[in-house]
Amino acid sequence: MMYHEHPLRILRYSAKNIWLLIFPLLRGIKTIRLDTDRLYAWLRGSWFDIAVIGIIIMFGYIRWYFSGIELADSEIIRWEGITAKIRTVIPYSSVSSVTIEKPFYLIPVRAIKIKCDTSAGKYRSADMQLMVTGKFCGEFLKKVPDVNEKNKIDDIPETNQFSVLLFSVFFSSGFSGSVYIATFFLKGGDIAHDIINVSLDRLTETTTRLADKLLMHIPSAALLVGVFFIVSWVISFLVNFFRYTGFTVDGDEYCLKISCGLFNRREYRITAAHINYTDLRQNLIMKFIGAVAVNISCAGYGSAKNHLPVLFPVKKEKSIGNSLEKIGIFSGVKNDFRPKSDGWWQYIWQPVIISVLVFPAHMLVKKLVPEISELTFFFAVMFEIPLIWYITAKITAFFTSGISIYDDKIMVRCSKMASFHTVIAERNRLVKIELQQSIFQKISNKCSICLWFGGEEHSHFKVKAMRVSDVKKISDMLEYRIGERI
């Protein structure tokens, strides 16, 4: 059946000819110095401006008219172009995910946005984007995979607003960083003010009077920057909270359906067979309280800017249950292979060395420039706080990292920066194994193993300080030949 996109799409096609507005703009420049005669002349010539706008809209209409969509039995076809036709064909069986967006500002015109993604194409770019009517959307959704109500997984954990709230707190941009930087500037501004004030007091009276006027702005500027970072985090928190409000998940063995959003309601249809891996994410606080945020890697899901591919917001790891094994989520599996017991230094050596050098650097600056010793001491303390946090995270990573292989699955526990990942995937999703060994690791018979998984973005996860014998066993079990050189 043949369809056109929503008529509102004409405006988008028209935007490509927006450069034609330069002619009304040039004509309007003449009337910058408004007087009665020039204003009258401009109004008399307004037909020209209206004609240009009409031409722009006409071009958009022509492009819209010569573009269309066809819902065939086994594929969706989109064509566009006047002299040169471009046809995009996506079989329904190749669809990894479908996104249906209903922004509040499109509700009055009854327009719906649809994004259709496959495992091919550009990373973070939908293979097909449409703006359609509700009628087309209903017909299209009949063609793509949907959850079978008879075979639906009944005991999928429910997501409440408190879970969404915690998720927004933990994963908003700059959760701890904004507060930390805000404190830095709030306190740092006062210290900078005091230091500069003491130094400038030694100058002449005239200079001091001038300086006092300038100094008045230092604490307020620091306060302004501090407030900016706090407000930025609050905004990020609110955006995330509204984005994931009303989060619901339904699914069967073959399809997942996720809905969320307050002002921009989204529905996702995800083909289970196209999920590359499941990622149970944690930060240090979540690690200690046994909470996880379950993410999935699937083309099109979570690919929009600042969107996370979350399947379940913050949940207790024990509450996930075994019913989700059908969609690749396992719990209670212990590590078969762990880092070597003497490999702890490989996890923490970088932050430890930096943290040890912070205060000696302060003492050196204090000897050379004693006037700013208070400021450098403040810098040293503020640098040590995140370093200690990072060291704690890496020590935790050493004790929890590892690899398990069972049936046709592989589980990798590791850390990236100060976050923790438990990655679960089928073996056929593994596309590459990379082994890394330094001279010092060679001596101690250790190495790092890096596992790469397929998808639009080839993601990799590294486990450090593994025994060489264990790495060989892992590669043999996964049917990867690494040779005998390591």
Side-chain angles (χ1 to χ4, degrees), residues 181-234:
I181 296 174
T183 305
F184 183 93
F185 279 97
L186 287 170
K187 182 60 180 173
D190 294 336
I191 294 175
H193 174 277
D194 294 338
I195 292 172
I196 298 174
N197 193 26
V198 170
S199 301
L200 292 181
D201 278 342
R202 300 174 184 176
L203 300 178
T204 63
E205 183 177 355
T206 304
T207 309
T208 305
R209 289 176 182 174
L210 178 62
D212 285 339
K213 295 180 180 180
L214 297 174
L215 286 167
M216 291 176 63
H217 298 285
I218 295 178
S220 59
L223 178 64
L224 182 63
V225 174
V227 170
F228 167 77
F229 280 103
I230 293 176
V231 171
S232 66
W233 180 85
V234 171

Side-chain angles (χ1 to χ4, degrees), residues 249-269:
V249 182
D250 285 318
D252 57 23
E253 191 174 352
Y254 305 102
C255 179
L256 294 174
K257 184 161 64 177
I258 299 172
S259 299
C260 62
L262 182 62
F263 299 111
N264 184 5
R265 193 68 184 170
R266 287 184 173 87
E267 180 183 313
Y268 301 92
R269 301 276 187 90

Side-chain angles (χ1 to χ4, degrees), residues 138-196:
E139 293 297 322
F140 174 68
L141 292 180
K142 293 178 182 178
K143 303 285 187 177
V144 296
D146 194 4
V147 176
N148 189 324
E149 292 296 326
K150 294 181 180 179
N151 299 325
K152 188 169 68 173
I153 302 174
D154 294 326
D155 50 352
I156 290 180
E158 293 185 0
T159 300
N160 53 39
Q161 283 299 96
F162 182 68
S163 175
V164 174
L165 178 68
L166 288 179
F167 180 83
S168 302
V169 168
F170 286 129
F171 293 98
S172 291
S173 178
F175 163 60
S176 57
S178 295
V179 178
Y180 175 77
I181 296 174
T183 305
F184 183 93
F185 279 97
L186 287 170
K187 182 60 180 173
D190 294 336
I191 294 175
H193 174 277
D194 294 338
I195 292 172
I196 298 174

Side-chain angles (χ1 to χ4, degrees), residues 40-172:
Y40 177 70
W42 183 82
L43 290 174
R44 284 183 60 189
S46 60
W47 64 269
F48 178 76
D49 301 340
I50 296 172
V52 171
I53 295 173
I55 291 171
I56 292 174
I57 295 176
M58 183 184 68
F59 280 148
Y61 175 80
I62 292 173
R63 287 180 60 87
W64 172 83
Y65 183 80
F66 283 94
S67 301
I69 317 161
E70 180 182 351
L71 292 178
D73 293 335
S74 60
E75 59 199 12
I76 179 173
I77 305 169
R78 182 190 182 186
W79 71 91
E80 55 184 334
I82 302 173
T83 56
K85 291 285 186 180
I86 299 175
R87 292 172 63 89
T88 303
V89 181
I90 298 180
Y92 302 129
S93 59
S94 299
V95 174
S96 299
S97 66
V98 174
T99 306
I100 302 99
E101 293 186 44
K102 299 178 180 179
F104 69 94
Y105 55 86
L106 292 182
I107 293 176
V109 294
R110 299 181 180 180
I112 299 172
K113 291 182 178 180
I114 291 179
K115 295 180 182 179
C116 191
D117 268 282
T118 69
S119 296
K122 296 180 180 179
Y123 174 58
R124 290 192 178 276
S125 178
D127 297 313
M128 187 178 291
Q129 300 186 56
L130 306 169
M131 182 183 290
V132 298
T133 61
K135 180 181 178 181
F136 173 88
C137 183
E139 293 297 322
F140 174 68
L141 292 180
K142 293 178 182 178
K143 303 285 187 177
V144 296
D146 194 4
V147 176
N148 189 324
E149 292 296 326
K150 294 181 180 179
N151 299 325
K152 188 169 68 173
I153 302 174
D154 294 326
D155 50 352
I156 290 180
E158 293 185 0
T159 300
N160 53 39
Q161 283 299 96
F162 182 68
S163 175
V164 174
L165 178 68
L166 288 179
F167 180 83
S168 302
V169 168
F170 286 129
F171 293 98
S172 291

Side-chain angles (χ1 to χ4, degrees), residues 3 18 27 49 105 116 136 211 218 276 279 417 422:
Y3 295 90
I18 200 72
R27 199 179 70 84
D49 301 340
Y105 55 86
C116 191
F136 173 88
I218 295 178
N276 302 308
D279 182 7
M417 299 299 290
T422 300

Side-chain angles (χ1 to χ4, degrees), residues 318-389:
K318 294 181 180 179
S319 69
I320 292 177
N322 297 324
S323 61
L324 301 181
E325 292 183 2
K326 294 180 180 179
I327 55 176
I329 302 177
F330 294 79
S331 60
V333 178
K334 296 182 178 180
N335 291 327
D336 295 331
F337 305 96
R338 307 174 63 91
K340 198 175 178 183
S341 57
D342 60 350
W344 56 271
W345 179 246
Q346 190 174 344
Y347 281 78
I348 65 172
W349 70 271
Q350 290 176 320
V352 166
I353 290 176
I354 296 173
S355 64
V356 169
L357 294 177
V358 167
F359 278 100
H362 156 65
M363 297 303 295
L364 178 62
V365 175
K366 182 179 178 180
K367 285 185 178 181
L368 297 175
V369 192
E371 293 81 4
I372 63 170
S373 59
E374 186 179 358
L375 184 62
T376 56
F377 177 76
F378 172 74
F379 281 140
V381 172
M382 297 304 284
F383 273 122
E384 282 292 348
I385 294 172
L387 286 170
I388 292 172
W389 181 270

